[in-house]
Amino acid sequence: AVVSTQSTGKRKQRKNKAFQTQILSGEEENSANNCAKVCSGTTGRRVTDYQDYNDGVNVFVDVDMSGCAFVKIPNVVISVEGNSSHWTALGTSSVYIATPSSFRVYLKNEHAGARIDSLKDMEWNIDWVAVGFTC
């Protein structure tokens, strides 16, 4: 694409560089930066597959990001999104057991408990952004 800019009264044209992702450091040795990719997703409101963590109160969810086609463990940032009470939870930004295709999140709510039915009613879900290499 060609972008026009105004500079000292004269019109100049310059080519707009394509967006490029650069990874400075990660869990594993870097690949070529032309293989770097940003990929994001959500587990979905009311459909997140929470699993009980053997106590009836705390839960975990395994997040599939295989569609990103990462070949190394990416850098992953998460957030819990919903319509009620997720601000009281613990573990809302903690990533566990990361692989190139998945990761796990544990959630604990000391005040109300993280019961699966109530989490779905409150539409808690995991929003995530991953940056990694595809070659």
Side-chain angles (χ1 to χ4, degrees):
V2 175
V3 177
S4 295
T5 60
Q6 200 74 19
S7 175
T8 63
K10 295 181 182 177
R11 195 172 186 146
K12 291 184 177 181
Q13 289 190 349
R14 63 178 169 86
K15 288 191 177 183
N16 207 12
K17 291 185 179 178
F19 178 76
Q20 191 174 27
T21 302
Q22 183 175 6
I23 300 172
L24 299 178
S25 63
E27 296 296 325
E28 300 178 273
E29 185 177 318
N30 282 1
S31 294
N33 271 329
N34 63 346
C35 298
K37 176 181 182 180
V38 176
C39 189
S40 67
T42 182
T43 57
R45 295 178 182 164
R46 295 191 177 266
V47 296
T48 298
D49 188 21
Y50 294 106
Q51 303 294 314
D52 180 62
Y53 189 60
N54 298 324
D55 62 4
V57 178
N58 300 300
V59 298
F60 69 90
V61 60
D62 290 319
V63 179
D64 178 14
M65 57 180 181
S66 59
C68 299
F70 293 126
V71 297
K72 296 183 178 190
I73 298 171
N75 295 327
V76 180
V77 178
I78 66 169
S79 177
V80 173
E81 189 263 343
N83 65 25
S84 180
S85 301
H86 50 293
W87 66 273
T88 64
L90 301 175
T92 59
S93 63
S94 299
V95 174
Y96 290 86
I97 315 171
T99 72
S101 61
S102 67
F103 61 91
R104 179 174 283 183
V105 178
Y106 292 93
L107 297 175
K108 179 177 185 172
N109 189 328
E110 293 182 350
H111 302 291
R115 291 177 183 83
I116 293 172
D117 290 342
S118 63
L119 297 183
K120 289 189 178 193
D121 289 343
M122 294 184 291
E123 299 183 342
W124 285 22
N125 61 96
I126 310 298
D127 291 337
W128 56 272
V129 177
V131 182
F133 295 105
T134 57
C135 63

